[in-house]
Amino acid sequence: MAVERVTILDSKRIILGVTGSIASYKSADLASKLVQAGATVDVILTEAAQQFITPLTFQAVTGQPVYTSMWHTDTSGGLPTHIAHVGLAEGADLFVIAPATAHHIAKLANGFADDLICLTALSCRCTIIVAPAMDGSMYEHPATVENLKKLQERGVIVIEPEEGRFASGLIGRGRLPETPTLMGQIRHALGREWGGLIDRHVVVTAGGTREAIDPVRYVTNHSSGKQGYAVAQAALDAGANVTLISTPTGLPTPVNASLILVESAEEMQQAVLDLLPTADALIMAAAVADFRPAEVAAQKIKKTEDELVLRMTRTEDILLTVGQQRKQTGRPSVLVGFAAETQDLIKNAKSKLKRKNADYIIANDVTAPGAGFQSETNVVTILGSDGSSISLPQQTKAAVAEAIIQRVAARLQTVPHHTTIPDEVDE
Ligand code: CTP
């Protein structure tokens, strides 16, 4: 499946260094996905990597010349090799070494300069990401641990390998993560340099809440969580620390978001209130139930009667509660809600904006074609407390999310940074 263009990757120049590992083949997929997302990818292959995969593969997926040796004198298409490392390094926004073998990690940690990857790492001033891949025993060896620590202390981002089965048949930690994880790490690294929400804590709610009837049944709605997850990803791309409070959706958690799983409106409210002291922005994309069964049966309800009458009672309105509270606390600095409507879209949304003391309400007619629950796209109007109203054409939920995050970042520009970060509060 083709990847959408990704704003944070669009027009970025990424060097991909591939060292020799059984995981080298995975880098071809990573290169391909980066190119599809809009990046230009310059690949450097070590001699050992070429035992596993050929330069032609990378040339085909990147459309760029592939660099294989610092001794190579053929300059056709690529940069003259005597300056290739400098030329590549100068124009790069990010240098990703994936997979990185124990041998190369040792060379990088000690400043070796005997191949094009090491030379380029010494020359470049952009962020470097290293994704180790090796047998578990090699990854745990004190020499590797020390070398990785050295690199991290120098600002290199190390992607933790995954646990699993190796080519050797052994089980342990040392497997190169799959492409979506690597892409997520790359996006976040770029976001942390260029984004408008660096060092901000953004809390996003997503999914439809589940209100229990008995131990096996619940009442819910059609929310898929897709729009909320897209908002969380857009906030990560903007460099934010993101907490995603979500009901079970089956969607992959955006890489580097902290996920808090909840079920009911009450649990969601508790999670939101707990995080408010550190939240710069709260985006309530969840479809929170307005009513829940008044009594939850302790045991599974048996079909002894022909009818079952459920008495429902109101849940608390989380957005309203937060909107009222922040009049006193000032937290969160930016508050965004959604208005899922089936009629009188703008009128109802405007009234929610005011009543809930939000900065923005994202109004969507959930019955419109290409909009609402389950859909991959959305059609929204963004209403601001400053009286602004912008109707966006039908677009992907990712694009809608970016439009929301741009506004959140713009509002936060005038707000000073808080001193607490989320992890400090948990302790
Ligand atoms: N919301 C909430 N808590 C609730 C219900 C809704 O925080 N108990 C939030 C939603 O996350 C959304 C916004 O309020 O951001 C509007 O939700 P919506 O369902 O459109 O509206 P309601 O306020 O529930 O009003 P109504 O159902 O009467 O249209």
Side-chain angles (χ1 to χ4, degrees), residues 205 265 268 283-291 315-321 336-341 348 352 355-356 361:
T205 66
M268 184 170 278
I283 300 156
M284 285 291 308
V288 187
D290 292 327
F291 296 93
T315 57
E316 261 206 64
D317 189 318
I318 306 170
L319 186 59
L320 183 79
T321 309
V336 181
F338 277 69
E341 306 291 347
N348 283 333
K352 280 177 196 173
R355 195 160 41 88
K356 302 197 185 194
I361 286 283

Side-chain angles (χ1 to χ4, degrees), residues 209-211 262-273 288-289 292 315-316 318:
T209 63
R210 297 174 170 186
E211 309 302 328
V262 295
E263 298 234 340
S264 64
E266 197 182 351
E267 281 175 24
M268 184 170 278
Q269 173 160 26
Q270 197 50 56
V272 167
L273 296 181
V288 187
R292 62 177 167 79
T315 57
E316 261 206 64
I318 306 170

Side-chain angles (χ1 to χ4, degrees), residues 179-198:
T179 304
T181 306
L182 298 174
M183 290 286 283
Q185 297 283 6
I186 289 169
R187 289 171 75 154
H188 201 219
L190 290 170
R192 290 219 151 150
E193 260 177 76
W194 278 280
L197 289 173
I198 297 165

Side-chain angles (χ1 to χ4, degrees), residues 161-179:
E162 290 178 353
E163 266 187 11
R165 194 182 164 278
F166 297 106
S168 62
L170 296 172
I171 297 199
R173 184 173 294 280
R175 283 174 59 88
L176 185 70
E178 299 300 323
T179 304

Side-chain angles (χ1 to χ4, degrees), residues 19 33 125 148 153 228-229 246 248 348 372 410 427:
T19 69
K33 294 293 187 310
R125 295 293 167 261
L148 285 171
E153 281 165 2
Y229 276 60
S246 176
N348 283 333
E427 283 165 7

Side-chain angles (χ1 to χ4, degrees), residues 20-26 52 99 167:
S21 149
I22 190 70
S24 302
Y25 76 94
K26 289 189 184 174
F52 294 94

